[in-house]
Amino acid sequence: MRTPSTDRGRLLLVLALATAVAVFTATVPLLRDWFDLRVYYGTVHTWLHHGGRIYDYQVPGTTYGFTYPPFAAVSMAPMGYLGLGTAITAALFLNLAALAAVLRILAGPDWRRYGWFGWALVACGLALFEPLRDTFSFGQVNLLLLALVLGDGWLLSTGRGRWAGVGIGLAAAVKLTPALFIGLLLVARRWRAAAVATAVALGATGLAALVDPDASRFYWTRAMWDTTRVGRLDYVSNQSLQGVLARLGETGRPLWASVVLIVLCVWAVRARRAVVAGDWIAAFALTGLTACLVSPITWVHHLVWLLPSFAVLIRAGHPRIAGALYAVMCTSVVWLWFNDASGIDGFLGSNTYTWITLGLLLWLPTGQALDDRAPLSRNATTTAPAPSAAAATIAAVSVQPGPSSGTTGAATGAAGGPGLGPARNVSSEPTGSTRPAAAKPQSSSSRASLYTVKPPPA
């Protein structure tokens, strides 16, 4: 399919795509009614105004409450002085701003070359991406954390590493998973950035301990180790290695720990190679992939951490592979095995997103010299590539190689290129279900009910 040659044709194409995306998101995937945001809001509102304890709150009619470290509640405290509607609106704008920042970093300084048409195609494609849809409709914080982490990556890749580590430290204090990026800084031998990230994370955690000592004591001694507070390990939305093992009936920690150790070793080797070549976007992409794999619970919406990997694939000249994988992650295919993940088809199908994440960790292109990465020509037109598939959409924000050489990047440990390298039926199904399996989520309108209106059975 060729790109329309006139602005009128491009506008008509964008309108047609936007209509198709709107119909899809309104009829196929059921939205989540900002369930996780309701958890945050109810927690801080009860804590600030009614003397409740952070980890005692549960959304009415459910068993779900706050599961993040105490600093997350402290950072969300302003929400307690807003109405719920205002808090939802603010969360939407914050997520949009974070998404814009992520795309800006991944696209680099040449972002204007794609024009309104290219970015319109990107918006349509991103609206189909299941992890992104769920992040917005749950009211989750994934995009904000991704933006913080990639911000540090941008600082490192552009030689502005003096303040690098602040974003990673804050992200790690809000959720534990981004702490793996401190490990990346150590692997990269960026001692100052690692020290800054660690100091910021510990400082934020200490601040939360001063604000609410009892909550901090409870979290770090009990809640942190109790995964049942988050949800069932074998729930199909858990697309981590632990989720795969749990669906096989293997819940022993020694086996899981052994698999995690192997994955971490693979990550360390591949991330180090990427860093040595100055390929910071690949290093950060690999770390995001690994964090999703080794975390005991990785809900589908956590997989927004895969977005940088698609940029790497495009940049390395593999737009078809990127498009195919991206398209699969737009289908909600894992939910076909919501009721029964047994058999070979269940093993393969219910873990589809895990296989994609693992495959990207093993085969994502890394360690390329910057001058060798040129999947898109410098003399390309100012519009995005033709929207033949999801690959065309992702290609619009692929990172272009910068003018500096790979040798220089390897010597300095910072890439010289641009960026990091050169969202009806309403459902309030929580992130992880601890209830017996009911109708399939995202595929049945029978689930369109609100817990706060009609609580499920205990």
Side-chain angles (χ1 to χ4, degrees):
M1 178 179 178
R2 298 184 60 184
T3 303
S5 58
T6 64
D7 282 344
R8 180 179 179 182
R10 293 167 184 161
L11 178 60
L12 290 175
L13 177 58
V14 168
L15 291 176
L17 289 174
T19 300
V21 168
V23 171
F24 174 81
T25 56
T27 60
V28 179
L30 300 180
L31 302 181
R32 308 299 194 170
D33 193 36
W34 299 280
F35 184 89
D36 289 1
L37 181 64
R38 293 175 182 271
V39 173
Y40 311 152
Y41 181 84
T43 297
V44 298
H45 195 273
T46 302
W47 176 46
L48 294 175
H49 301 293
H50 303 288
R53 297 192 296 182
I54 293 175
Y55 298 103
D56 284 350
Y57 175 82
Q58 292 182 346
V59 176
T62 78
T63 59
Y64 293 95
F66 201 75
T67 59
Y68 297 165
F71 178 71
V74 174
S75 64
M76 296 175 184
M79 191 187 305
Y81 299 96
L82 304 176
L84 178 59
T86 304
I88 290 173
T89 302
L92 287 173
F93 278 106
L94 284 173
N95 272 326
L96 285 172
L99 179 59
V102 168
L103 295 178
R104 177 67 177 82
I105 292 171
L106 294 178
D110 289 339
W111 65 277
R112 290 186 180 87
R113 70 189 296 266
Y114 303 108
W116 69 268
F117 180 60
W119 287 109
L121 295 181
V122 169
C124 290
L126 290 173
L128 297 174
F129 192 53
E130 184 181 3
L132 203 57
R133 296 197 314 257
D134 275 1
T135 290
F136 273 90
S137 60
F138 269 126
Q140 259 286 344
V141 298
N142 308 308
L143 277 173
L144 297 171
L145 304 183
L146 179 58
L148 284 171
V149 167
L150 287 184
D152 276 348
W154 177 82
L155 290 173
L156 291 167
S157 68
T158 56
R160 301 176 175 90
R162 181 176 182 181
W163 294 105
V166 174
I168 291 174
L170 289 174
V174 172
K175 288 185 76 171
L176 297 177
T177 305
L180 186 60
F181 286 89
I182 300 179
L184 173 62
L185 297 176
L186 295 174
V187 168
R189 300 177 184 174
R190 288 304 186 102
W191 313 121
R192 176 188 173 90
V196 170
T198 303
V200 170
L202 292 177
T205 301
L207 173 63
L210 290 175
V211 173
D212 194 332
D214 290 338
S216 293
R217 186 181 305 110
F218 178 82
Y219 178 81
W220 296 109
T221 60
R222 293 181 57 184
M224 173 184 173
W225 314 98
D226 185 5
T227 58
T228 61
R229 290 179 53 88
V230 184
R232 286 198 338 250
L233 291 175
D234 63 345
Y235 185 52
V236 75
S237 183
N238 184 16
Q239 292 292 306
S240 69
L241 294 172
Q242 179 77 292
V244 175
L245 294 174
R247 284 186 285 277
L248 288 173
E250 298 289 341
T251 57
R253 291 195 175 184
L255 176 59
W256 171 72
S258 300
V259 175
V260 165
L261 182 59
I262 294 173
V263 168
L264 288 175
C265 289
V266 172
W267 160 77
V269 172
R270 305 209 70 222
R272 176 62 185 170
R273 183 187 177 196
V275 169
V276 168
D279 194 355
W280 280 99
I281 185 174
F284 272 72
L286 287 168
T287 307
L289 294 168
T290 304
C292 291
L293 289 170
V294 303
S295 174
I297 292 181
T298 296
W299 303 131
V300 168
H301 56 75
H302 293 160
L303 297 177
V304 294
W305 291 98
L306 271 63
L307 285 175
S309 299
F310 296 115
V312 172
L313 285 172
I314 295 293
R315 186 194 62 191
H318 303 292
R320 293 183 178 180
I321 296 176
L325 296 179
Y326 188 93
V328 171
M329 297 193 67
C330 293
T331 62
S332 302
V333 62
V334 297
W335 298 101
L336 295 175
W337 289 271
F338 174 71
N339 289 320
D340 184 7
S342 62
I344 296 179
D345 65 315
F347 175 69
L348 296 175
S350 67
N351 302 309
T352 298
Y353 297 166
T354 309
W355 306 141
I356 291 176
T357 307
L358 185 59
L360 287 171
L361 173 65
L362 295 175
W363 292 294
L364 192 72
T366 62
Q368 304 174 82
L370 293 177
D371 288 342
D372 294 336
R373 300 190 229 113
L376 296 181
S377 174
R378 282 279 182 187
N379 59 9
T381 61
T382 57
T383 58
S388 58
T393 298
I394 307 169
V397 292
S398 62
V399 180
Q400 298 299 304
S404 61
S405 69
T407 304
T408 302
T412 61
L420 285 180
R424 157 162 349 223
N425 293 327
V426 178
S427 172
S428 59
E429 180 70 20
T431 302
S433 176
T434 56
R435 300 181 294 111
K440 294 182 180 179
Q442 300 193 359
S443 63
S444 172
S445 60
S446 65
R447 298 174 60 256
S449 63
L450 302 183
Y451 281 145
T452 54
V453 176
K454 185 180 179 181

